[in-house]
Every structure is written in structure tokens, then in C-alpha cells.
Amino acid sequence: MQQFNFPFVATNQEETQLRNEVRSFLKAELDSGGYQPSADCWMTAASPEFSEKLGTQGWLGMTWPKQYGGHERTTLDRLIVTEELLAAGAPVAAHWIADRQTGQQIINFGTEEQKQTLLPKMAAGKSFAAIGMSEPQAGSDLAAVRTKADKTATGWRLNGRKIWSTGAHLCDHMIVLARTSPAEGRNRQIGLSQFLVPLKTRGVEVSGIDDLSNHVHFNETLFEDVDLTEDALLGKEGNGWAQCMGELALERSGPERFLSTFILLEQALTVLRGKLDNQGLITLGQLIAKLRSLRIMSRGIARQLAQGIPSDTEAAMVKALGNAFEKEVVTATRRLLSTTPTNEWPAGLAALLDDAVLKLPANTLRGGTTEILRGIIARQLGMR
Ligand SMILES: Cc1cc2nc3c(=O)[nH]c(=O)nc-3n(C[C@H](O)[C@H](O)[C@H](O)COP(=O)(O)OP(=O)(O)OC[C@H]3O[C@@H](n4cnc5c(N)ncnc54)[C@H](O)[C@@H]3O)c2cc1C
């Protein structure tokens, strides 16, 4: 049985300085009406203009090599920027996936040409990417994907259907997991490959799906005889499963897994400050203690990733606990505020609360369901 590893990482002065820089930038944006804070901002609040501003600040592709438009900063610096953006409910959804995982996948597995063509635009906030893993019959059971890519004289022909593709309507590329050769007996993880698919290509159709809150932020993506050049293959043919698992570790390890609803708590406190009874104070204290613990765990993961230490199980743990925390924030805030909005509520709080409630069910599904994450953790504990 292996142990979990969450090293404690102390803060330092440079970090505080970076945090203050991001806060000043966000305050100026907010004051000038640049955005309206929202819950779940990293998935549903997209503003390509805002993403470009972050690119200009040097806050996208922060850890990537300078030769590809990155800034060669630490994973902790990146964590600080992402924490501040999430805590402020800023409109970061457009670039989120490219910055969090697609860029790093390209750095890890891409050809020189893929790196030179795509990464600088992503780091500038001018090119966005989507995740093409799930299909109607393949969610938790990802190895069941049916999308397939067949070799042709000039490259590959892609056919299939992806679902829940977040932001694909704004993106120019999607990393698609597809079958390139048959499974070997019961081992379905064999024969899968990843492709960097340009979405503005003949045969690709992206259509929006309404979520519970009436937003279109995810899509169904259809691939019908899409001809891809040879260099659309990302990494090695047949290595798709292993590559995908690495991508999922990037996807699960960030603070967005516990900060999606933080903005709600912060805004509610403008009404609640000084008015909570003992029970209310206990509830608030518990939330803050949990948040502090999750942040310490998240910083530990960032440090480990920087040192090249795999942290998949630790990331699964933060996501599972973080999703439970996000839900508690909404439940507790609803209880602490009166159920009917009063004149004291700041503008936007009622809408923020409604929106957070409607978006909440998605949190424990996206990026791997709680049951699947618990399975990963149980395996690490030697329980299965
Ligand atoms: C908001 C949102 C955004 C998303 N964005 C993307 C995206 O950009 N790209 C993408 O590819 N996908 C995306 N997804 C899809 C997401 O990854 C899947 O929804 C998720 O993996 C679950 O798959 P499923 O929906 O098919 O549910 P299923 O896998 O059918 O699961 C249904 C239920 O059964 C449980 N279950 C399944 N298998 C097991 C098991 N072995 N043990 C115990 N319980 C089990 C699950 O926990 C769940 O409760 C997104 C989903 C959401 C909600």
C-alpha cells in the first residue's frame, strides 16, 4: 500500500507580490465593468477578450518553455494566478482547458511543429482547445470509445461522436481519443490514440447542448469522414490510453475543483458579516477550515507536479473532497442567507445563488465522477 503525499509548501514574499498583482488587475477589470463575477466561471464564463488580456499579462502558459510563448514560471506561480481568478469569479472559461491540459499534452507528446504552431497562440489567449474523451456510451468507462481513426494514403480518416465537449464552440482544436486498432481480447486500453483535430474542418459539426441553467457551454461534436493529415496524431499511435491518463491528472489536480462556488460565499459574507449567530459562526468556521486544508493539499500537489512526481491519486482525493466542499458552500450559504432576497443583498447575489444551485450537479460528474475517484483512491489504499 502506498501512502498519500501532500508536502507542506510555505508561502513567500514573491508569491504575495504576484497575488497582489493579480488582485489589482482583477479589481481594475471589475471596476471598469470588464466582467460580472460568476460561479463556475472556469467552465461557463467565457470571454476571449479577457483571455487575451491574461495572455498579455503573461498569465497563460506560465510554466511552458519560453521558446513556445510560455514564461517558464513555477507551478506554484500558476496556482496562485488560477486561485485568484477563480476566487474572483472571472470569465476564464475560453482558455481554461488549453492552459490547464492541452498545452502541456502538446509539450509532453507533440512534435516540434505542433509545439511551434499551437503553443504561442494558446499562451497569448488567442487559441482555445477542447477535450474529446466522452461519448454517449463511454463516460466513466472511457475505454469503450467508438470514435475511430483509419489510416489513409495521406493521414487518417476520423468518424465518431464526442459528447459534453466543453467550450468546443469557441475552440479551434480538440484532442480526440479514438480507436486506431482493435482491442486485444478484453484489454480495450490497447489500440487507442490521441489526435489534435482542427475543429474548423470539413466533416466536423459542433452543436450546443443546453445545461440545467439554460447555458450552452458544452457540445456534441460529430466527426463524419474527417480527413486528417499524418501530423494530426498526438504522440505515439496506440499510446492514447496512457497519454489520456496523464491528461486526466492535469485535469483533476487544480483548485477549480474546490473554488467553483467560493465567489458565492464571499459575496454572501458582505450581507452576513456581524450578523451570524453561534451556529452560523460554527458553519462558517468549518467551511474556512476545510478550504484551508484543501488549499494546503492543492499546493502540495503543485509542488509534486513541479518535481515530476506523479500525483494522480492525490489529485483524485482533492477533487472528491473539493466537490463535496463546493456543494457544502452552496447549501450553507442558502441556509445562512434568508431564503428571500432582501434589500441588503448586493446586486447580483440572488442571481449568483440561483446560478450556483443550478450548476452544482455537474461538479461531481465532470472530470470523473465521485464514485470513480473513490475507486482510484481505494486502489491506492490497497482496498481493491
Ligand atoms: C459540466 C460537464 C462538462 C464536461 N466536459 C467534458 C469535456 O469537455 N470533454 C469530455 O470528454 N467529457 C466531458 N464531460 C463528461 C464527463 O467526463 C462524464 O460525464 C463523466 O466521465 C461521467 O460519464 P457519464 O456521464 O457517461 O456517466 P456514467 O459513466 O454513465 O456514470 C453514471 C453513474 O454511474 C456511476 N458509475 C459508472 N461506472 C461506475 C463504476 N465502475 N463504479 C461505481 N459507479 C460507477 C457514475 O459514478 C455515475 O454516478 C463533462 C461532463 C460535465 C457534467
Side-chain angles (χ1 to χ4, degrees), residues 41-245:
C41 62
W42 62 277
M43 178 142 297
T44 55
S47 162
E49 300 74 35
F50 190 85
S51 295
E52 213 173 315
K53 285 186 192 171
L54 294 182
T56 308
Q57 292 290 326
W59 293 335
L60 301 184
M62 286 179 75
T63 60
W64 305 350
K66 285 187 179 163
Q67 66 185 117
Y68 304 126
H71 304 281
E72 295 182 10
R73 298 189 69 158
T74 64
T75 46
L76 269 176
D77 283 349
R78 180 174 180 273
L79 178 71
I80 288 156
V81 172
T82 46
E83 272 191 339
E84 291 303 322
L85 294 169
L86 293 164
V92 289
H95 68 264
W96 199 259
I97 289 167
D99 180 61
R100 176 182 67 187
Q101 63 196 81
T102 317
Q104 194 57 49
Q105 274 303 88
I106 296 171
I107 290 168
N108 293 347
F109 302 106
T111 60
E112 191 53 34
E113 198 187 329
Q114 285 167 339
K115 290 178 194 171
Q116 286 187 11
T117 326
L118 292 171
L119 295 174
K121 284 189 264 172
M122 288 180 177
K126 293 179 181 171
S127 167
F128 310 124
I131 305 165
M133 295 188 198
S134 306
E135 296 181 8
Q137 293 80 20
S140 304
D141 184 17
L142 187 58
V145 292
R146 292 182 189 169
T147 296
K148 64 182 185 110
D150 297 312
K151 270 216 165 102
T152 63
T154 52
W156 301 89
R157 182 158 301 152
L158 188 69
N159 276 289
R161 188 152 61 120
K162 294 290 174 183
I163 198 161
W164 317 126
S165 336
T166 300
H169 56 302
L170 299 170
C171 296
D172 35 54
H173 281 82
M174 175 187 283
I175 296 187
V176 171
L177 181 69
R179 184 154 290 288
T180 42
S181 59
E184 281 181 11
R186 294 179 65 187
N187 191 346
R188 296 169 306 154
Q189 297 169 6
I190 303 259
L192 296 169
S193 305
Q194 284 193 313
F195 291 88
L196 257 173
V197 179
L199 292 176
K200 313 273 181 295
T201 300
R202 198 163 59 86
V204 180
E205 194 186 311
V206 178
S207 42
I209 305 173
D210 270 358
D211 76 359
L212 198 61
S213 66
N214 216 18
H215 281 83
V216 174
H217 61 88
F218 47 29
N219 303 271
E220 179 163 9
T221 314
L222 201 65
F223 304 97
E224 234 172 18
D225 288 332
V226 179
D227 280 321
L228 300 172
T229 51
E230 293 227 17
D231 60 7
L233 181 70
L234 178 67
K236 274 204 263 163
E237 181 183 343
N239 195 38
W241 185 259
Q243 290 177 203
C244 221
M245 292 307 106

Side-chain angles (χ1 to χ4, degrees), residues 134-369:
S134 306
E135 296 181 8
Q137 293 80 20
S140 304
D141 184 17
L142 187 58
V145 292
R146 292 182 189 169
T147 296
K148 64 182 185 110
D150 297 312
K151 270 216 165 102
T152 63
T154 52
W156 301 89
R157 182 158 301 152
L158 188 69
N159 276 289
R161 188 152 61 120
K162 294 290 174 183
I163 198 161
W164 317 126
S165 336
T166 300
H169 56 302
L170 299 170
C171 296
D172 35 54
H173 281 82
M174 175 187 283
I175 296 187
V176 171
L177 181 69
R179 184 154 290 288
T180 42
S181 59
E184 281 181 11
R186 294 179 65 187
N187 191 346
R188 296 169 306 154
Q189 297 169 6
I190 303 259
L192 296 169
S193 305
Q194 284 193 313
F195 291 88
L196 257 173
V197 179
L199 292 176
K200 313 273 181 295
T201 300
R202 198 163 59 86
V204 180
E205 194 186 311
V206 178
S207 42
I209 305 173
D210 270 358
D211 76 359
L212 198 61
S213 66
N214 216 18
H215 281 83
V216 174
H217 61 88
F218 47 29
N219 303 271
E220 179 163 9
T221 314
L222 201 65
F223 304 97
E224 234 172 18
D225 288 332
V226 179
D227 280 321
L228 300 172
T229 51
E230 293 227 17
D231 60 7
L233 181 70
L234 178 67
K236 274 204 263 163
E237 181 183 343
N239 195 38
W241 185 259
Q243 290 177 203
C244 221
M245 292 307 106
E247 191 180 341
L248 279 172
L250 295 168
E251 185 174 341
R252 289 173 179 156
S253 57
E256 64 269 38
R257 302 303 179 179
F258 56 88
L259 286 176
S260 296
T261 57
F262 176 81
I263 183 75
L264 173 66
L265 180 63
E266 194 178 51
Q267 300 231 345
L269 281 177
T270 59
V271 184
L272 297 170
R273 196 163 276 125
K275 293 187 190 138
L276 291 173
D277 60 12
N278 268 352
Q279 192 49 50
L281 287 171
I282 289 170
T283 304
L284 183 62
Q286 285 171 338
L287 287 177
I288 290 170
K290 284 183 186 175
L291 176 60
R292 197 164 160 70
S293 309
L294 283 162
R295 286 189 63 210
I296 290 170
M297 292 164 87
S298 180
R299 288 171 69 83
I301 293 177
R303 163 62 57 82
Q304 299 217 105
L305 290 177
Q307 294 171 343
I309 303 169
S311 305
D312 309 11
T313 318
E314 284 81 359
M317 201 170 212
V318 170
K319 181 177 183 308
L321 293 171
N323 288 161
F325 169 77
E326 293 178 320
K327 193 171 181 185
E328 263 181 70
V329 166
V330 177
T331 315
T333 311
R334 284 176 89 182
R335 218 176 284 139
L336 295 174
L337 290 164
S338 63
T339 38
T340 321
T342 66
N343 290 339
E344 281 180 298
W345 285 31
L349 178 55
L352 200 57
L353 180 58
D354 288 352
D355 208 33
V357 170
L358 289 172
K359 285 173 177 168
L360 205 54
N363 298 19
T364 48
L365 291 170
R366 60 189 181 193
T369 68

